[in-house]
Amino acid sequence: MKIGILTSGGDCPGLNAVIRGAVLKGITVYGHEFVGFLDGWRGVVEADIIDLPRTAIRGIAKQGGTILGTSRTNPFDNGGGPEVIKAHLDRLGIDAIIAIGGEGTLAAAKRLSDAGLKIVGVPKTVDNDLDATDYTFGFDTAVQIATEAIDRLRTTGESHHRCMIAEVMGRHAGWIALHAGMAACAHAILIPEQKIGIEQIVQWAKGAHSRGRAPLIVVAEGFVPEHMESPHSERGLDAFGRPRLGGIADQLAPEIEARTGIETRATILGHIQRGGVPSAFDRVLATRLGMAAIDSVVDGCWGTMVALKGTEIDHVSFAEALGKLKAVPQRRYEEAALLFG
Ligand code: F6P
């Protein structure tokens, strides 16, 4: 078989490990041939491919980013769609596609699969917000990076007796904020799932300050304080028409400073959380998912994605997997909140 692989949507650490796992197992166990589509669905729509022999994936499991490039291209736009793509695949002799991506990528993969294309998916998001899999690769690395950064903010905050706010990624779900905040022993964690008023945040900051601590607050980019209707966005829309988030920490900092009298600084970690080498956990998870994706292709499990269930890799249909957000459960937030202030 000849199999095409693509990485689509926002990148995250571990993408290359998935590619390596799939290609290496596909070549050594099944004798398959591989190509890579460049820049996600763009490469599929424009039939822009590179060969992926064994030498192309040598040593890439520990590399950040993706050797194939990525984009937020919708395969149904710009002259795409199932007919055009099928014609490209027939002409190039490609039998099946492995699509590595998040909700948007997998939703497009489902539509193409429903139209008869042979596609399997590998879920990806640093936000860890896909319900059908216990963890997504990239999340562990993002939490490590955020935790280290927040630890650093703590020491400078303590030196200057300031309140420090760290903003992390998390559009719909606050998993990175919850885990990094808990790991770094934050005095408050603010996530999209929980509407919290500024007075409560101020109370937590004052509580820490009254014990001689520099208040440390971790906020997810998608957090909506009680006085706001929707997440803070000042950067327009992304290619999928979603508001680009980022900047809620800058909004909160002057409010907290004015109400507490504590000098307050905000730091937005942004894409630093998605760059660089994957953690060992993410390399292992991504490699296993890539290997399992090849088994799905061999078994003809079209329209499914691989998923981590406990410690085992399983597969679930796109229909079952999509549209279900894995939000931080109330009990997990309450557990963390016992230690705030
Ligand atoms: O979906 C993952 C994510 O990292 C979100 O947390 C964030 O809002 C978004 O991607 C950023 O996307 P971009 O790289 O297009 O700015």
Side-chain angles (χ1 to χ4, degrees):
M1 272 178 117
K2 188 168 172 182
I3 300 160
I5 303 183
L6 66 100
T7 52
S8 168
D11 74 340
C12 76
L15 287 168
N16 286 324
V18 178
I19 297 169
R20 176 179 171 274
V23 171
L24 206 48
K25 183 167 184 184
I27 291 174
T28 57
V29 177
Y30 299 113
H32 291 327
E33 199 184 327
F34 288 86
V35 293
F37 295 103
L38 296 179
D39 302 335
W41 293 114
R42 183 197 68 73
V44 181
V45 171
E46 297 177 12
D48 192 4
I49 62 170
I50 55 166
D51 287 333
L52 282 182
R54 187 171 175 161
T55 48
I57 49 105
R58 187 183 286 158
I60 64 168
K62 59 184 175 300
Q63 274 176 32
T66 159
I67 60 165
L68 298 177
T70 186
S71 70
R72 294 198 191 272
T73 304
N74 183 335
F76 289 85
D77 291 346
N78 305 319
E83 297 310 321
V84 170
I85 293 172
K86 185 154 186 345
H88 287 327
L89 298 182
D90 288 346
R91 185 171 52 79
L92 296 166
I94 297 171
D95 302 295
I97 293 178
I98 296 176
I100 311 166
E103 180 85 19
T105 305
L106 298 175
K110 178 182 183 305
R111 279 181 71 189
L112 292 170
S113 166
D114 290 346
L117 272 72
K118 294 178 175 173
I119 306 183
V120 304
V122 179
K124 170 245 51 153
T125 159
V126 284
D127 290 359
N128 195 40
D129 58 2
L130 284 176
D131 194 43
T133 184
D134 286 356
Y135 282 99
T136 43
F137 64 87
F139 169 67
D140 183 69
T141 308
V143 169
Q144 296 285 348
I145 294 167
T147 302
E148 189 190 317
I150 297 163
D151 285 346
R152 288 171 190 276
L153 290 176
R154 179 187 285 282
T155 65
T156 173
E158 298 278 3
S159 305
H160 290 265
H161 316 291
R162 286 174 174 157
C163 172
M164 305 301 281
I165 309 178
E167 180 179 312
V168 298
M169 281 186 169
R171 170 173 284 274
H172 304 294
W175 289 106
I176 297 177
L178 185 81
H179 280 228
M182 206 173 202
C185 308
H187 297 112
I189 301 171
L190 310 172
I191 62 175
E193 294 89 336
Q194 299 284 335
K195 269 208 162 210
I196 308 272
I198 193 78
E199 287 311 328
Q200 171 64 82
I201 301 169
V202 161
Q203 206 180 311
W204 283 326
K206 280 183 173 169
H209 194 249
S210 68
R211 298 190 313 277
R213 305 301 307 278
L216 183 60
I217 298 170
V218 178
V219 60
E221 61 183 356
F223 170 67
V224 184
E226 254 169 26
H227 65 278
M228 283 170 60
E229 291 298 315
S230 51
H232 179 76
S233 171
E234 57 190 17
R235 300 167 186 177
L237 304 178
D238 70 13
F240 283 158
R242 306 178 309 176
R244 288 181 57 205
L245 303 186
I248 182 65
D250 285 329
Q251 303 300 306
L252 293 175
E255 298 269 352
I256 292 170
E257 183 165 315
R259 286 173 159 83
T260 60
I262 309 166
E263 196 180 10
T264 302
R265 294 283 193 271
T267 301
I268 300 171
L269 298 183
H271 291 82
I272 286 172
Q273 295 159 93
R274 290 205 332 224
V277 300
S279 67
F281 178 90
D282 281 337
R283 291 182 211 183
V284 173
L285 175 58
T287 303
R288 293 181 72 206
L289 290 171
M291 292 167 75
I294 276 300
D295 293 334
S296 294
V297 168
V298 169
D299 295 341
C301 300
W302 314 124
T304 67
M305 66 166 216
V306 290
L308 180 69
K309 300 282 185 191
T311 56
E312 297 303 314
I313 309 289
D314 201 351
H315 58 256
V316 288
S317 70
F318 285 147
E320 207 184 319
L322 295 170
K324 288 182 211 144
L325 184 75
K326 183 168 64 203
V328 172
Q330 184 70 23
R331 67 175 188 287
R332 286 291 310 273
Y333 189 74
E334 284 170 5
E335 175 188 64
L338 287 174
L339 306 180
F340 292 174

